[in-house]
Amino acid sequence: MHMRDIMAHLRDPVVQKNLNMSRAIKQAARNFLEQRGFMEYDTPILQPKGGEIYNPTFDVQIDGDSACLGDSPQMYKMMLLHAGYERYYQFAHCFRPIAHENNRETRLCEFMQLDLEMQIPSLEELLAFAESLLREIMKTLSIHAEISVMDGLVCRKIYGDEMKPDCRKNKDAVSVVFLKRMPLTNGEKTPIGTWIPCHHIFALPSEEITDMSKETLLQMTTESFDVVINGIEVGGGDLRIMQRSLQEKMMEIFHVKPEKYGQYLEQLDNAGTLQIGGFAFGLERLVQALSGCGNIRQTVPFDQLYEGRNNDA
């Protein structure tokens, strides 16, 4: 991208309006969470390589050791809760390759997500908290939305594996759909035949795992939710697995090496009655969905230079 293109982008009235919306969302969310006892902590961007081989990452070397740019703060925020920090949040920078992805108009290689974790006993309470936060954000923006809840398996049957319902009754409406209890997997596999979960390996299954056949796994759900606004997935969350044996079973299903998570698995041995859960909203996705702009690159001040296309430096 030439410098003149960057300046034209920064002067674009749509970009300027969206950046103001982003700032308002961050302020509203921070006020909401601080008033409810959440503490803001930063987690590392440079992270050790994890064991989830279905997640492509930007890999780097740190003094000869393999590492990557973090695609989420998932492991760190769960460890904060295990260490006794009861309510955490941050605006986390996350990095994910997108050259292989569809729906490029909703994806960025570098993006920010409002990320939080808490002690919470049930999916219903976690979903209610996420809805309250989202309502506060929309109130700040003077946006009215129709909010509904749909069962995850029902959504998949109606809308297919993408699971992005758009329930607007007219073009000026805002439709917010919480997809409750997402499927464990939609049957998607990596090129080497490894199952890919709808959420991740730390999401608590809704029922006991009796076998690992394709038929069983496709009908299983997790104590999780996704949030879809006007047909755009803007975030999601779940209760976390709190028993080591179950966590190791999930790792077996998705071909994840337990030794990559040894210290975390040890924490599960001592979890006791602790139950934690969390969720994240993609900030740029949220702005895109609520503003109605056609391309997520209109939600950031500096258009991405590494989005899987050829650019003139």
Side-chain angles (χ1 to χ4, degrees):
M1 178 182 288
H2 292 292
M3 184 60 70
R4 63 177 179 272
D5 298 326
I6 294 175
M7 297 307 297
H9 178 81
L10 287 170
R11 292 180 176 127
D12 185 336
V14 174
V15 173
Q16 293 177 352
K17 181 179 179 180
N18 287 339
L19 294 181
N20 285 333
M21 179 182 283
S22 178
R23 178 179 176 274
I25 289 173
K26 290 172 73 175
Q27 190 62 53
R30 181 173 274 116
N31 290 342
F32 180 91
L33 294 171
E34 292 281 349
Q35 290 170 7
R36 287 158 178 80
F38 281 76
M39 306 292 285
E40 186 172 6
Y41 300 104
D42 292 330
T43 56
I45 289 175
L46 289 174
Q47 301 180 4
K49 282 282 290 179
E52 299 163 78
I53 60 176
Y54 50 81
N55 278 343
T57 55
F58 288 109
D59 297 338
V60 297
Q61 291 284 315
I62 303 177
D63 294 333
D65 291 332
S66 296
C68 65
L69 301 180
D71 65 340
S72 87
Q74 186 68 49
M75 181 56 58
Y76 291 106
K77 68 177 184 175
M78 293 190 303
M79 293 184 77
L80 280 168
L81 267 291
H82 279 279
Y85 298 81
E86 294 183 3
R87 294 193 160 197
Y88 138 96
Y89 81 98
Q90 74 170 316
F91 296 94
H93 285 270
C94 304
F95 304 83
R96 298 178 189 175
I98 64 170
H100 65 292
E101 297 280 8
N102 298 321
N103 306 315
R104 296 283 292 282
E105 70 279 359
T106 66
R107 299 181 185 276
L108 295 168
C109 287
E110 177 182 356
F111 60 94
M112 182 174 288
Q113 65 185 32
L114 169 56
D115 201 271
L116 60 90
E117 195 86 358
M118 70 183 95
Q119 295 184 22
I120 196 157
S122 69
L123 175 62
E124 286 70 24
E125 292 179 66
L126 183 66
L127 196 152
F129 189 88
E131 181 179 335
S132 296
L133 173 56
L134 191 56
R135 285 187 183 276
E136 181 65 22
I137 289 171
M138 291 190 294
K139 178 182 176 182
T140 298
L141 301 174
S142 299
I143 292 174
H144 173 72
E146 295 293 332
I147 298 179
S148 60
V149 178
M150 182 181 297
D151 178 81
L153 291 179
V154 171
C155 179
R156 185 174 69 185
K157 184 175 181 180
I158 298 173
Y159 293 94
D161 290 352
E162 286 292 307
M163 303 180 67
K164 296 175 183 175
D166 187 344
C167 300
R168 284 176 286 184
K169 296 180 175 63
N170 60 70
K171 64 181 181 66
D172 296 320
V174 175
S175 159
V176 178
V177 183
F178 282 88
L179 305 180
K180 183 178 179 181
R181 295 192 173 90
M182 292 289 288
L184 177 68
T185 179
N186 282 331
E188 186 181 4
K189 291 186 176 183
T190 67
I192 63 173
T194 301
W195 291 104
I196 299 175
C198 284
H199 268 210
H200 48 70
I201 62 171
F202 307 106
L204 177 65
S206 301
E207 62 224 29
E208 184 181 356
I209 301 175
T210 56
D211 66 75
M212 293 188 287
S213 67
K214 178 179 179 180
E215 293 75 16
T216 298
L217 295 180
L218 285 176
Q219 294 306 312
M220 288 192 64
T221 63
T222 54
E223 294 298 282
S224 60
F225 68 89
D226 272 4
V227 187
V228 180
I229 300 180
N230 292 349
I232 297 175
E233 179 194 336
V234 302
D238 48 73
L239 297 185
R240 317 306 188 190
I241 293 171
M242 304 304 296
Q243 295 80 36
R244 179 169 182 161
S245 60
L246 180 55
Q247 186 62 79
E248 290 176 333
K249 174 65 72 174
M250 285 284 279
M251 290 177 171
E252 181 182 355
I253 290 172
F254 296 107
H255 292 191
V256 173
K257 297 178 179 178
E259 57 266 27
K260 290 283 188 177
Y261 300 98
Q263 188 172 358
Y264 181 70
L265 291 172
E266 290 175 7
Q267 297 306 308
L268 293 180
D269 287 333
N270 303 310
T273 60
L274 178 69
Q275 178 61 63
I276 64 175
F279 60 86
F281 294 151
L283 182 61
E284 294 87 358
R285 287 258 188 105
L286 190 55
V287 172
Q288 182 184 14
L290 294 177
S291 70
C293 72
N295 194 310
I296 198 169
R297 283 155 194 82
Q298 292 180 298
T299 71
V300 292
F302 299 100
D303 194 9
Q304 306 301 295
L305 304 181
Y306 40 82
E307 56 180 77
R309 66 181 185 187
N310 292 324
N311 293 295
D312 293 325

